[in-house]
Amino acid sequence: VLFTVWLVSIAMGPKAYEPFISFMAHPFGQFLLIGWSFSVIYHMFNGIRHLIWDTGRMMKIGCATKAGYVVFYGAILVTAGMWFCIYNY
């Protein structure tokens, strides 16, 4: 939804794009962007986990559970690192 609103505001011109950018600069807008980026990174890591499962590896319950924790905490770390770089560079 956020991506669609962004594209529509660009298509409508600078007067529609300006309020969108000011909303995204607001702390709530930043919260939405961080949540969106976390969901994309989590989905990517989970896709990699599923590709590994397609090879027949990590199919036992204990291994799959540990991989789920790795995916979740890895997505948190990568998201935090990405936003750290965005805010500091």
Side-chain angles (χ1 to χ4, degrees):
V1 174
L2 187 62
F3 185 71
T4 306
V5 173
W6 175 65
L7 286 177
V8 169
S9 68
I10 288 175
M12 291 176 66
K15 289 189 179 191
Y17 186 64
E18 209 170 293
F20 175 78
I21 291 300
S22 65
F23 175 74
M24 286 296 122
H26 189 271
F28 183 69
Q30 294 291 302
F31 175 74
L32 291 177
L33 287 173
I34 291 169
W36 179 72
S37 61
F38 170 77
S39 66
V40 168
I41 292 168
Y42 178 78
H43 187 75
M44 180 190 68
F45 283 173
N46 228 0
I48 293 169
R49 181 171 71 145
H50 278 269
L51 286 174
I52 292 170
W53 284 351
D54 288 343
T55 66
R57 297 184 179 105
M58 296 191 328
M59 296 300 286
K60 295 182 181 176
I61 300 265
C63 248
T65 303
K66 288 177 188 174
Y69 286 124
V70 168
V71 164
F72 181 71
Y73 291 117
I76 288 173
L77 286 173
V78 170
T79 303
M82 180 183 78
W83 282 95
F84 176 79
C85 290
I86 288 171
Y87 280 123
N88 291 315
Y89 295 106

